Amino acid sequence: MFDIQEIRSQFSILDREVNGKPLVYLDNAATSQKPNSVLEVCHAYYTELNANVHRGIHTLSQLATEEMELSRRKIQKFINAEHDFEVIFTKGTTEGINLIAYILTQKLQKDDEIIISYLEHHSNIVPWQMLCERTGARLRVIPIDENGVLQLDYLDQYLSEKTKVVSVNQVSNALGIVNPIEKIIAKTRKNSDAYIVIDGAQSAPHFDIDVQKMDCDFFVFSGHKMYAPMGTGILYGKREILEALPPFHGGGEMIATCSFEGTTYAGLPFKYEAGTPNVGGNIALGAAVDFMNRVGHENIQNHENALLEYAQRQLLEIEGLKVYGEKAKRTGVVSFNLEGVGIASDVGMILDKMGIAVRTGHHCTQPIMNFFNIAGTVRASFAVYNTFEEIDRLVEGVKKAQRMLG
């Protein structure tokens, strides 16, 4: 049974008012709200278990270690990794991609190529540009068409023995477009030996993830977009690849032996988890997985797809409103502008006065905005706790903004 009111009752923040109006939170692609069960786990860690992990023989340290490693196993199952030690805790998607780009430095040389797409977040552009600067490699970009859909014919042209990395997102944060990563991975495997990196920041909250079936080499996502605290995230990497590549950070926890003459590194996952981790956050990420499992992935996906379909249909009834990527397969996001309204943020400010939280601007995807020759969009993004009534309030708010700004 999918009971939206019961789900909403688990999110205390949804009861608050903003500017004297009941909150309508539609900025979930930026960060989702956290259910009480996740917040309670955070609180319990700091009030009952607070200790460093993996390093102490005392009871609190052992209990904290057990809870964090239990969370790792929950996440292993969540993404269907073969081994729990292929699950590396990070601060989020950005750190995960930077980690991969850094540890691949020795694998690239001058004139090698890295393929990304026009639909990438800056976090899946800049780290690869930095890798190109370090190595002399060059970046190649899969273009999009007028609907925001990747033109995969260009991938066929780009793939060669020079291709060392292919890194794409599964879902665009700016447009909600679902990329055909199965085709991208199959084409890459057929035509090169490149490492395949999938940015799952916008897919992990909405889809069933199966990294073994996907056959990617790396998969990264953020906890805070899927009901967990900020500062949490996951890097999945295939065992044989992670074992062969060098560490990212040096320090405590990631060593087997350390002397002034030299250091040997710990095995997975600790090789990539130097320093004190975000123990409370990492445990709470497991609690967020528990929450999603209780609701049911199929229920989450069906509800959010219905919200998206309803929102797009209602918004497109507004004369002069353009939805970007309207004809593409999408999930979780509707990104739009009003004709004659030059600045998306003006719409966002009016909506905020009505208690409606959306995101405006370029969404850290300036190449997409440049392609459409716009400065930014208004982005409404959905989570499992959103309702059709909230979309009605959004539509009325957009109509009001159009009257005031047109």
Side-chain angles (χ1 to χ4, degrees):
M1 292 291 292
F2 182 81
D3 186 340
I4 186 63
Q5 294 308 319
E6 194 278 330
I7 290 171
R8 287 179 63 83
S9 72
Q10 299 179 50
F11 293 82
S12 297
I13 196 170
L14 299 181
D15 293 331
R16 70 159 295 168
E17 292 187 346
V18 172
N19 294 318
K21 306 288 185 181
L23 170 65
V24 174
Y25 186 80
L26 297 174
D27 193 20
N28 296 285
T31 194
S32 61
Q33 299 303 332
K34 322 306 174 194
N36 296 333
S37 59
V38 169
L39 300 177
E40 288 163 3
V41 166
C42 289
H43 181 73
Y45 168 73
Y46 285 108
T47 57
E48 300 174 19
L49 292 181
N50 186 40
N52 214 328
V53 291
H54 303 133
R55 306 179 191 184
I57 62 170
H58 63 83
T59 298
L60 291 186
S61 177
Q62 291 181 0
L63 290 172
T65 297
E66 289 172 7
E67 288 298 315
M68 197 175 90
E69 292 308 311
L70 174 60
S71 180
R72 194 191 305 272
R73 292 192 294 274
K74 291 176 181 178
I75 296 156
Q76 174 199 358
K77 186 174 181 181
F78 179 74
I79 62 173
N80 194 32
E82 185 175 1
H83 306 288
D84 61 352
F85 51 75
E86 295 175 318
V87 174
I88 311 298
F89 287 114
T90 69
K91 292 189 297 185
T93 305
T94 298
E95 183 180 50
I97 296 174
N98 275 274
L99 187 160
I100 298 165
Y102 177 83
I103 66 177
L104 289 179
T105 298
Q106 297 176 8
K107 296 294 184 179
L108 275 78
Q109 58 189 9
K110 190 175 187 301
D111 295 328
D112 283 341
E113 295 180 346
I114 299 167
I115 299 175
I116 61 173
S117 87
Y118 243 89
L119 289 177
E120 305 311 317
H121 189 282
H122 295 166
S123 294
N124 202 28
I125 300 173
V126 179
W128 304 116
Q129 290 175 329
M130 296 168 72
L131 178 57
C132 288
E133 290 171 1
R134 290 195 299 271
T135 62
R138 67 170 180 155
L139 205 62
R140 308 204 74 170
V141 184
I142 306 168
I144 55 177
D145 64 19
E146 66 278 5
N147 296 309
V149 175
L150 294 182
Q151 299 186 58
L152 291 188
D153 289 348
Y154 284 84
L155 176 62
D156 295 327
Q157 297 174 32
Y158 293 164
L159 285 167
S160 73
E161 69 279 357
K162 292 183 177 181
T163 308
K164 302 304 179 186
V165 180
V166 174
S167 186
V168 295
N169 59 37
Q170 191 169 10
V171 175
S172 163
N173 72 298
L175 305 179
I177 290 175
V178 180
N179 287 323
I181 59 167
E182 296 83 2
K183 289 184 180 179
I184 292 170
I185 292 171
K187 288 174 180 289
T188 301
R189 293 284 184 230
K190 182 179 179 181
N191 295 289
S192 81
D193 295 322
Y195 294 100
I196 299 174
V197 183
I198 301 298
D199 172 355
Q202 299 295 335
S203 58
H206 306 294
F207 296 160
D208 274 326
I209 304 298
D210 187 335
V211 293
Q212 292 190 72
K213 182 178 179 182
M214 195 182 296
D215 191 31
C216 58
D217 297 309
F218 301 98
F219 186 88
V220 291
F221 62 97
S222 298
H224 73 97
K225 298 179 190 294
M226 47 173 281
Y227 313 106
M230 292 186 179
T232 62
I234 294 297
L235 160 64
Y236 157 82
K238 287 182 177 177
R239 173 184 185 170
E240 61 274 16
I241 294 174
L242 292 176
E243 287 180 338
L245 291 170
F248 180 42
H249 290 141
E253 188 67 15
M254 53 76 68
I255 62 115
T257 63
C258 180
S259 70
F260 290 117
E261 289 70 41
T263 294
T264 58
Y265 303 128
L268 299 175
F270 309 115
K271 176 181 175 181
Y272 294 103
E273 292 183 353
T276 298
N278 180 2
V279 181
N282 292 344
I283 295 171
L285 178 51
V289 168
D290 290 338
F291 165 77
M292 294 180 68
N293 288 339
R294 285 195 301 271
V295 176
H297 294 270
E298 185 175 357
N299 287 334
I300 292 171
Q301 192 167 350
N302 289 342
H303 179 63
E304 291 172 346
N305 285 344
L307 290 171
L308 174 60
E309 181 181 350
Y310 182 73
Q312 177 162 301
R313 186 169 66 248
Q314 296 299 107
L315 286 166
L316 286 174
E317 290 183 2
I318 300 174
E319 186 175 355
L321 186 144
K322 175 179 176 58
V323 171
Y324 296 90
E326 174 191 347
K327 293 179 170 47
K329 180 182 179 183
R330 306 200 326 279
T331 189
V333 168
V334 58
S335 198
F336 62 91
N337 276 322
L338 288 169
E339 183 180 330
V341 176
I343 304 177
S345 60
D346 288 345
V347 178
M349 285 189 288
I350 292 172
L351 292 174
D352 180 60
K353 294 298 182 184
M354 302 172 68
I356 303 167
V358 297
R359 180 57 58 98
T360 62
H362 56 65
H363 317 299
C364 294
T365 57
Q366 286 182 302
I368 295 176
M369 303 302 139
N370 292 339
F371 176 85
F372 288 110
N373 195 29
I374 54 177
T377 68
V378 181
R379 184 188 70 186
S381 50
F382 311 114
V384 69
Y385 44 69
N386 289 126
T387 67
F388 298 99
E389 291 77 15
E390 289 180 320
I391 292 172
D392 291 338
R393 284 187 55 194
L394 168 68
V395 172
E396 289 307 309
V398 172
K399 290 177 179 177
K400 180 176 180 179
Q402 186 179 53
R403 291 193 298 271
M404 293 177 65
L405 299 170

